[in-house]
Amino acid sequence: MIASWLWRRWFGILTLKALVALAVFGLVVAPPDSEQGDAARLLYVHVPAAWIAYLAFFVTALASALYLWPRTRNDSWDHLAGASAEFGVLCTGLTLFLGSVWGKPIWGTWWQWEARLTTTAVLLFLYLGYLALRRLGGVSSQRRNAIAALIAFIDVPIVHFSVSWWTSLHQQGSVFNDKMDVTINDGRMAFTLWLGAGAFTLLFAWCCLGRMRLLGIESKNSELELEAAIAQRTGVPS
Amino acid sequence: MSLASDAVLIAKKDMRIEMRSRIVFAQVLPFGGIVLLLFAFALDTDRGVLPIVAPGLFWVTVTLSALLAVSRSFAIEAEHGALYALRLSGLDGAAIFLGKAAAIVLQLLVLEVVLATGVFVLYDVHVPGEAVLAVASVAVAATVAIAAIGTVYGVLVAGIRARETLVPLLVLPAVTPLLLAASRSFEYAIDNDLSTSLRWGSLVGVIASVCVMVGVVAFGPLLEES
Amino acid sequence: MDHNWGYVAVGYVGTLAVLGTYCAVLISKLRKAPTEKHEQR
């Protein structure tokens, strides 16, 4: 299977190398930004984390849809949805944390009711709920979870639209640089950002496949245990 | 039987249970009232913030009360295997959804009238005469949306343990856009800026129709799984 | 400009801690996973 083929040692090492390279480029090679100074270095991690968070939630929705579609129904899709959502929540948390740490020196405050920030915060709770639902398990819970993932995904654009409409009404103080976009006038900065996106994508794939494998093993084991328990009760070996 | 008459049947059933048990009216309604009082204590009445933030507080109170109403709506299905009966009744999932949501809407509307009176009296809010209709229609649309979201998540967790704690975590993030839009719409209505109020109100309407559509599609399959 | 390095350090170290913990837990759980035991049965 692709999952076991990719979840090999070399793939892990490649991911690790990419992350180390990101740290080196982000902290040393890339020059400080002309306006934001060294704080801009946080964005090399913050922006990729945000991208991957959205990608992960998209993958969760896609995998859930594929699970619900009868022709493509397979437990692997359910496992992928769960693994991806978990990494997505992790990345959402990181995005908020890094955004806060970046905002303090640049905006002068840990938090601003800015559209993207606020949407990300709501998403965190939306998908924490989905993960909590998954944890409860139960008989035929996969379809239920898949539907929940799709409903959560439908909510994402609604949250984003209403929050951006809301924040656009507020007068932003001119002291605040509202945009997180750094003016990339240096090749090294652009490269570091792309490196970050690449490294986080690799990490996402690696963590997802590992988690999928774990979920697969867990569900297989619980099936075997159930069979063993039934065999014990009935005296008929399965 | 048609979809509408089936939905009315379910709604009547839920309302009859409510009229006999009076759980929502005797427990959830006083709960909403005490939350209104708590907000006044928390925000200090002297600083004059209460009339300004009243629309938001009103919708937060309604949402918290709605969580209890939703829990109640599915607690009555959990007893005596009622959920199995519902599943085996042969009624369309969409009809059951519309019926249960309609019952919650009715209960919440009564609650909102009482809470709104409380807000007028306690928070010293003035609604301009020409804005009353707008406020009322936005309230109805927002209530439909909250009830629809609550009903979908209610059936989603029906039949699993720990549902009482899970419902708020699932419902509250989902209603954030709605709370935002309904609160803004009320604020602008009170400020007598009707056109802006109605723009937010139309967002409430859009959200409500999306929620109802999602519920109509998703409720049947979710009921089978619960 | 120098004082920004403190924020950068907090951000990078925090990220490393979170991702590192997640991956470490994942790897250790996969190592412990009793697949072989059941396959032998």
Side-chain angles (χ1 to χ4, degrees), chain B residues 56 60 65 160 172 188 205:
Chain B
V60 169
S65 311
I160 56 179
L172 289 181
Y188 284 105

Side-chain angles (χ1 to χ4, degrees), chain B residues 110-182:
Chain B
V110 173
L111 183 118
E112 280 168 28
V113 170
V114 177
L115 287 183
T117 316
V119 167
F120 283 122
V121 176
L122 298 172
Y123 294 179
D124 191 26
V125 173
H126 300 286
V127 179
E130 54 268 41
V132 170
L133 197 65
V135 165
S137 46
V138 169
V140 171
T143 310
V144 168
I146 291 177
I149 294 172
T151 309
V152 169
Y153 281 117
V155 73
L156 194 76
V157 300
I160 56 179
R161 63 216 145 72
R163 63 169 175 274
E164 294 84 2
T165 42
L166 190 55
V167 164
L169 179 59
L170 291 173
V171 170
L172 289 181
V175 297
T176 42
L178 185 77
L179 208 71
L180 186 60

Side-chain angles (χ1 to χ4, degrees), chain B residues 17-128:
Chain B
I17 294 174
E18 172 53 29
M19 290 323 285
R20 285 180 189 166
S21 65
R22 299 274 164 91
I23 296 284
V24 173
F25 294 143
Q27 294 178 11
V28 181
L29 202 59
F31 166 81
I34 188 69
V35 170
L36 282 188
L37 281 185
L38 283 183
F39 278 136
F41 299 146
L43 295 174
D44 201 352
T45 49
D46 280 348
R47 273 186 257 159
V49 286
L50 276 177
I52 303 165
V53 294
L57 297 184
F58 173 76
W59 282 111
V60 169
T61 312
V62 169
T63 309
L64 293 178
S65 311
L67 289 177
L68 297 179
V70 167
S71 286
R72 172 63 189 159
S73 172
F74 285 91
I76 57 178
E77 305 297 352
E79 286 163 19
H80 309 301
L83 212 54
Y84 290 104
L86 208 56
R87 214 175 302 153
L88 294 172
S89 65
L91 294 174
D92 191 3
I96 300 175
F97 165 75
L98 291 173
K100 287 199 82 70
I104 296 177
V105 167
L106 279 179
Q107 294 166 11
L108 286 181
L109 283 178
V110 173
L111 183 118
E112 280 168 28
V113 170
V114 177
L115 287 183
T117 316
V119 167
F120 283 122
V121 176
L122 298 172
Y123 294 179
D124 191 26
V125 173
H126 300 286
V127 179

Side-chain angles (χ1 to χ4, degrees), chain A residues 122 125-126 128-130 132-133 135-137 139-140 143-144 147-148 151-152 154-155 158-159 161-163 165-166 169, chain B residues 152-153 156-157 160-162 166 169-170 173-177 180 184 188 199-200 203 207 210 214 218 221-222 224-225:
Chain A
V122 177
F125 291 105
L126 202 59
L128 275 177
Y130 169 71
L133 179 71
R135 284 181 64 88
L136 293 178
V139 186
S140 70
R143 258 185 94 190
R144 182 193 71 201
I147 295 172
I151 294 174
I154 292 171
D155 219 30
I158 299 177
V159 170
F161 175 71
S162 50
V163 168
W165 202 6
W166 174 50
L169 297 176
Chain B
V152 169
Y153 281 117
L156 194 76
V157 300
I160 56 179
R161 63 216 145 72
L166 190 55
L169 179 59
L170 291 173
V175 297
T176 42
L180 186 60
R184 291 298 89 76
Y188 284 105
R199 267 174 56 202
W200 281 107
L203 181 58
I207 295 173
V210 171
V214 167
L222 284 171
E224 279 170 39
E225 302 307 322

